[in-house]
Structure formats: C-alpha cells, structure tokens
Amino acid sequence: MDITERFLNYTKFDTQSAEDSQTVPSTSKQLVFAKYLKEELEREGLSDVEMDEKGYIYATMKGNVKDDVPTIGFISHYDTSPDCSGAGIKARVVHNYDGKEILLSEGVVSSPQKFPELLHHVGEDLIVTDGHTLLGADDKAGIAEIVQAMCFLRDHKEIRHGDIRVAFNPDEEIGMGAHHFDVEKFGCQWAYTMDGGDLGELEFENFNAASAKIRIKGVSVHPGYAKGKMVNANALAAEFAAMLPSNETPETTEGYQGFYHLLGIQSTIEEARLNYIIRDHDRDLFEDRKRFIMKQAELMNEKYGEGTLECTVSDQYYNMKEKIDPQMHVIDLVLKAMQECGVAPKVKPIRGGTDGAQLSFRGLPCPNIFAGGVNFHGPFEFVSIQSMEKAMQVVVKICELTAEYNK
C-alpha cells in the first residue's frame, strides 16, 4: 500500500472530537478508527501493538542494531477538528496541479488568489475535499507518514536503526490529547509529533495557552416594566467583549503576537456564557493577559454588583521551548535529516499548540515536524502527496541518524 492509498483510507473515517464532551475519547466514533488502525499496525508487522480503553495506541518497530541506541518515538493524533464536519469526506487527487482555480464542487472553488499557498505546489499532486468537509490531513497525514515510514524500515533492513516507538491518540484538537498519554509506557528518550503544516516546517516554540470561561447572571423582567429591574445578560456579554483589545485577536495578529479569541457565546436575558482562549509565546505577557481578563470581570462586577460575572481562567499548556532548549540535539537531528532528504527547513513558532507541548513538560521532549497539510480545519484543506512522501523520508532518516547518535 502506498502513502496515498493509506491516507485516503483514513479519510473515510469520521473522527471529529467534541469540545463539551465529558468522555475519553470525546466521541465514540474515534474508537472505530482507532480499532482499524490498531489492526493495521498488526497486519504491517509492528510489535507490542496495544490500544487502551481510552483509544491510545502504542506500537514498536524493533531495532536492528546491537549498539546502545536511544529509543525515539513518533506521534500523531487521529481526531479531526470540531470546527468543520469530518463526516462523508469526498477526497480526490488533483494530478499535476497547474496553479489555477480548483473546482471542488458546484459553486465551491479553491483559488490561489484566496489561498496563495497553492502556488507553492504547482506541478504536484494535491489531495482536496469537495468543499463541504475538512480533509483530515490534520493529522491523518501524519499517521500515514509514520506508518509508511515503519513499513519502509521493515522492508529495508539495510537501514540501521534502534527501537522506534509510535503512538496515535484521540482528542488533540480539543487540547486533551496528551492528558492520558502514558509517557512511561511509551518509553522514549525523546519523540516527534508529525503534526505540522507545509513542507519543511519545524516547530519547537508554541503558545502558552489558557481558557477563560465567563458566566454572566441576568435578571429577566417584562420589558414594559423593566426599568431599574432588568439586567440583560445579552447586553453585558456584548459590553464585556468590547472591553478586550480589538487589535489583539487571531485575525489581527501574527508571528509571536498573542491574542484573546472569543470561541463562542451562549446568551439569553437571564444568563450568558462566553468562552475565550488566551494565547501568548512570552510567559510574562501570557500571565499579564490572564490578569487582564480577570480584571475586566472585576470592573464589571463593580459596575453591576458583585457576583454578576464569574470568570474562570484555566491553563492548558505552555511553551515547549524552555524544555527543548537544553536538549537541542533533538532539533539538530531533524535539521540534518531534512538536509539529507532535500527539504529546506522552515523553523517557526507554532501559533497554536500540539500534544508535544504538554508531553515536553511531562519529561518527553517532543518538537513538531511538518505533515504537509495546508488550510487545516476547513473545507479548503489540502495536502500534497509529494510533501507526505518527503515527510515519510524525513522520519526514516531521523531513525537512521539516531542509530549513529552515540558514536
């Protein structure tokens, strides 16, 4: 099976996670794919294949060298984003892309004018959607690349490598993927998530992340008799949102700039709930942002009465850079692997997070390598087959170079 067929098979499974679920995984349909993936790893000859009750899959490609070689790992998540449907994905291959508009379906066009990233892949074979679902390259492309790399090592015994561990998990898209990951069982000295974007991307800096949940208590009174009595939670929700800086949102920031992002509002006169995420690469600025949003809630309570607003801020993950910096050999190996595979590295900060961020703080240094997908979480997502093949080659080369690490 080639990498294209493998990936297309994966897209047939709806593995969308759910933000408000209390189960692990957050959706039972993720387990359907997890069982398929476990069986595939067994068919492909990996060892120690196991899946726990929460859908975390672990397996080993046994090494073929006698030397004391570090055990390293590769990780990808199999859930897809709640932001866009992952059901009934109709993926197809656009062969030898010509740089023009791609008609996804009637009335739905992916154009380089709107998505200039397409022009980086002229002459390549692109896998696209029909414009009504996401594709799932985030992160089923990563899974396909890891599995294909393990099969390549299996079939090319002349390539020296130590034990390689692989793991696939649910619920990364809702920030829960690493919460139940068994680092001790995984048993690696370091690992890599294959969860990055376009060709050559390498990331070992990410946002510090927190969530903020605002609950506003209103008082409903007949509008004809409401003077001095009604407290309209709808209006207070709008007022609170307006208190946050309008130029510090995802749509107005880039690079290392942080933001406040309003994910959603549920609102009536009697009660409103606002869900925010808070992001910043700089730890001190991150802490300032958390204090700022709490302060706005205090100001609203001073104005409308104590207890009108409840604000709960919870940390989600931190910038992995502080854990990677002391072990830069983990990055040096990737850079050398990319160079030997003819891939130009693009080292950049993640304007988001990966499971690797949380894992790095749990003692498993875990930077993020490109998987080749572009325009994640929406119907214009695509992945280049050539980029997936390069990612697979980089995985193989890292395994090979690690066998020489202690020499």
Side-chain angles (χ1 to χ4, degrees), residues 84-91 129-136 378-381:
C84 184
S85 174
I89 294 171
K90 295 181 175 62
T129 74
D130 67 351
H132 297 291
T133 68
L134 48 67
L135 178 62
F380 299 99
E381 183 183 4

Side-chain angles (χ1 to χ4, degrees), residues 41-57:
L41 295 175
E42 291 170 339
R43 288 195 304 270
E44 297 292 10
L46 275 75
S47 305
D48 310 320
V49 181
E50 58 180 307
M51 183 180 83
D52 65 21
E53 71 280 1
K54 293 180 172 63
Y56 288 71
I57 302 168

